[in-house]
Amino acid sequence: MQFADRLNSFGGNVFADMDLAKAQARAQGQTIIDLSLGSSDLPTPAPIIATIAKALHDPQTHGYLLHQGTLPLRQAIAVWYEKRFGIGVDAETEVLPLIGSQEGTAHLPLAVLNPGDVALLMDPGYPSHMGGVYLAGGKIYPMALRAENNFLPVFAAIPDGVLGKAKMMVLSYPHNPTTAIASLEFFQTAVQFCRDHNLVLVHDFPYMDLVFDGRELPPSILQADRQKTCAIEFFTFSKSYNMGGFRIGFAIGNAQLISALKKIKAVVDFNQYEGILQGAIAALESPPAIVQQTVDIFSQRRATLVDALAKIGWAVPLPTATMYVWAPFPPSWSGNSLEFCQKLVAETGVALSPGSGFGQGGEGYVRFALVQEPDILATAAKKIGQFLNQN
């Protein structure tokens, strides 16, 4: 068979290599402590589950769900967004439910880019952002994120020749994998930059609630683009409400961008089960304490892990946000991030994500996902200490 050339962009990657390494470690008898995937181990809150369970017994929820059937969720999203960020949105034209935010970030380039157009992406950054650009036949310009710049891109460093071909920029703060946060002032600069260069500004916002130590909650990109001139923002229920498996998210923003994404979505799917949308409404209308419980758990876990790593001589920064720890190589390690993670899981069963899986700018780092109980995180750190002493 002959397949489309675009598949060449989706060849082997370090995450596939790590999946193989985990399987081989299991086959050799290792018990895996998997800290490599950002999939919450916490349960979906009971009121959300109860709402979905009730819907299961209503046969009117069992059929296809077209766009007009999503209106109750869109209205709930608009109310929630205005209450949280102080900006009104039109539920008809500026809100679009999605089968997870990844659906939106992967499909939007199909509506924005022509083959050969350039997208400005963060390096390191979330891999599916790259995948959507490749699907659209676009090209990627990596905006380097460096610790000395607080893991924020330097817009002035983007060459004029690149900007002449660029159609979109993707940001995501709080940031996976670096855990960095961005201020409203930074977003205002980004919005003005995108206006000046006629760029669509995409903001992926999955970790909006996972901010620690009493810090102010992060801003929405639309607080910097209040007239919604160039920006679209993607939200998910996967992190704040531990609903990753339910695949529910949404986009808010510029009406033309929402309409364009809706056209792509209409070709690909209907919508997910109506009961899940009812559960999403229950989540949006739930008391803040439900989300705060999740935040408190991840806050405790990151402190436990950072302290445990310090005890084995691996000093890593205490993250201010997200459900990850972004760790520069321990002083004793001189190889690459994939080699480190492959050897570590083979010898100890502890699975981490290689920094190189998030782009060239991630080399020299590994990412821990805080998806285990504190005692297991402490055990993982002890195993890593033994590994470092032997390597």
Side-chain angles (χ1 to χ4, degrees):
M1 294 183 183
Q2 293 184 343
F3 294 97
D5 293 342
R6 67 176 60 87
L7 288 183
N8 296 332
S9 301
F10 303 105
N13 59 61
V14 297
F15 296 113
D17 293 337
M18 279 305 300
D19 278 344
L20 177 59
K22 285 186 285 186
Q24 291 174 336
R26 286 191 185 94
Q28 294 300 314
Q30 291 285 4
T31 298
I32 304 299
I33 300 178
D34 197 346
L35 308 179
S36 65
L37 298 178
S39 180
S40 176
D41 61 311
L42 302 178
T44 303
I48 300 172
I49 294 296
T51 299
I52 297 172
K54 183 179 179 180
L56 289 170
H57 300 284
D58 179 0
Q60 293 186 0
T61 68
H62 295 175
Y64 290 127
L65 184 65
L66 301 179
H67 180 71
Q68 288 306 311
T70 70
L71 182 59
L73 175 58
R74 286 184 278 126
Q75 291 172 330
I77 290 168
V79 170
W80 168 86
Y81 185 85
E82 183 170 9
K83 181 179 179 180
R84 170 134 185 187
F85 296 106
I87 299 172
V89 293
D90 188 329
E92 280 291 351
T93 62
E94 296 176 336
V95 180
L96 183 66
L98 299 167
I99 303 178
S101 59
Q102 182 165 310
E103 178 210 336
T105 58
H107 285 160
L108 184 66
L110 293 170
V112 173
L113 301 179
N114 288 315
D117 288 342
V118 173
L120 309 175
L121 304 187
M122 299 172 293
D123 179 22
Y126 188 52
S128 82
H129 297 162
M130 294 178 276
V133 174
Y134 289 138
L135 279 176
K139 296 182 179 180
I140 292 171
Y141 177 82
M143 298 185 294
L145 308 185
R146 299 290 179 260
E148 57 267 28
N149 296 320
N150 298 313
F151 295 109
L152 300 172
V154 178
F155 301 136
I158 303 172
D160 289 340
V162 171
L163 288 172
K165 299 177 181 178
K167 293 292 181 64
M168 65 184 291
M169 174 190 290
V170 179
L171 300 174
S172 182
Y173 291 98
H175 184 241
N176 175 17
T178 69
T179 79
I181 55 178
S183 67
L184 179 59
E185 291 74 20
F186 169 79
F187 282 150
Q188 290 168 336
T189 299
V191 167
Q192 189 59 55
F193 183 85
C194 288
R195 287 173 178 164
D196 290 343
H197 297 282
N198 197 29
L199 301 173
V200 169
L201 178 52
V202 179
H203 186 233
D204 198 6
F205 205 16
Y207 302 99
M208 55 178 291
D209 289 307
L210 299 187
V211 180
F212 309 123
D213 302 324
R215 287 179 173 82
E216 183 179 0
L217 290 173
S220 163
I221 197 67
L222 299 183
Q223 291 177 287
D225 185 18
R226 300 182 76 90
Q227 301 304 313
K228 309 179 190 77
T229 61
C230 65
I232 184 171
E233 192 159 56
F234 291 95
F235 298 80
T236 180
F237 292 79
S238 297
K239 310 304 180 184
S240 300
Y241 300 100
N242 308 308
M243 294 178 68
F246 291 97
R247 306 312 306 136
I248 178 71
F250 57 93
I252 291 180
N254 175 276
Q256 290 177 294
L257 290 172
I258 292 292
S259 176
L261 181 57
K262 179 183 171 185
K263 290 179 181 178
I264 300 296
K265 181 177 176 62
V267 175
V268 176
D269 66 74
F270 290 99
N271 290 281
Q272 62 273 71
Y273 171 57
E274 184 178 344
I276 294 174
L277 273 65
Q278 294 178 11
I281 294 172
L284 294 174
E285 295 177 348
S286 65
I290 284 182
V291 174
Q292 190 59 48
Q293 290 173 358
T294 294
V295 174
D296 291 344
I297 288 171
F298 283 119
S299 179
Q300 178 190 8
R301 289 179 179 186
R302 51 126 202 185
T304 296
L305 179 61
V306 170
D307 288 346
L309 291 173
K311 290 177 181 177
I312 65 169
W314 189 359
V316 303
L318 185 69
T320 56
T322 76
M323 54 193 291
Y324 308 110
V325 170
W326 184 238
F329 281 167
S332 61
W333 184 259
S334 60
N336 61 58
S337 60
L338 178 58
E339 179 189 4
F340 177 88
C341 291
Q342 287 175 323
K343 289 193 67 174
L344 179 67
V345 73
E347 296 183 21
T348 70
V350 177
L352 308 179
S353 288
S356 59
F358 302 93
Q360 292 184 354
E363 188 54 81
Y365 292 82
V366 295
R367 192 197 72 178
F368 294 77
L370 301 170
V371 294
Q372 301 284 350
E373 296 286 351
D375 59 335
I376 298 178
L377 294 173
T379 298
K382 291 179 181 178
K383 289 177 174 287
I384 293 171
Q386 296 167 357
F387 169 82
L388 294 175
N389 288 333
Q390 296 169 1
N391 290 272

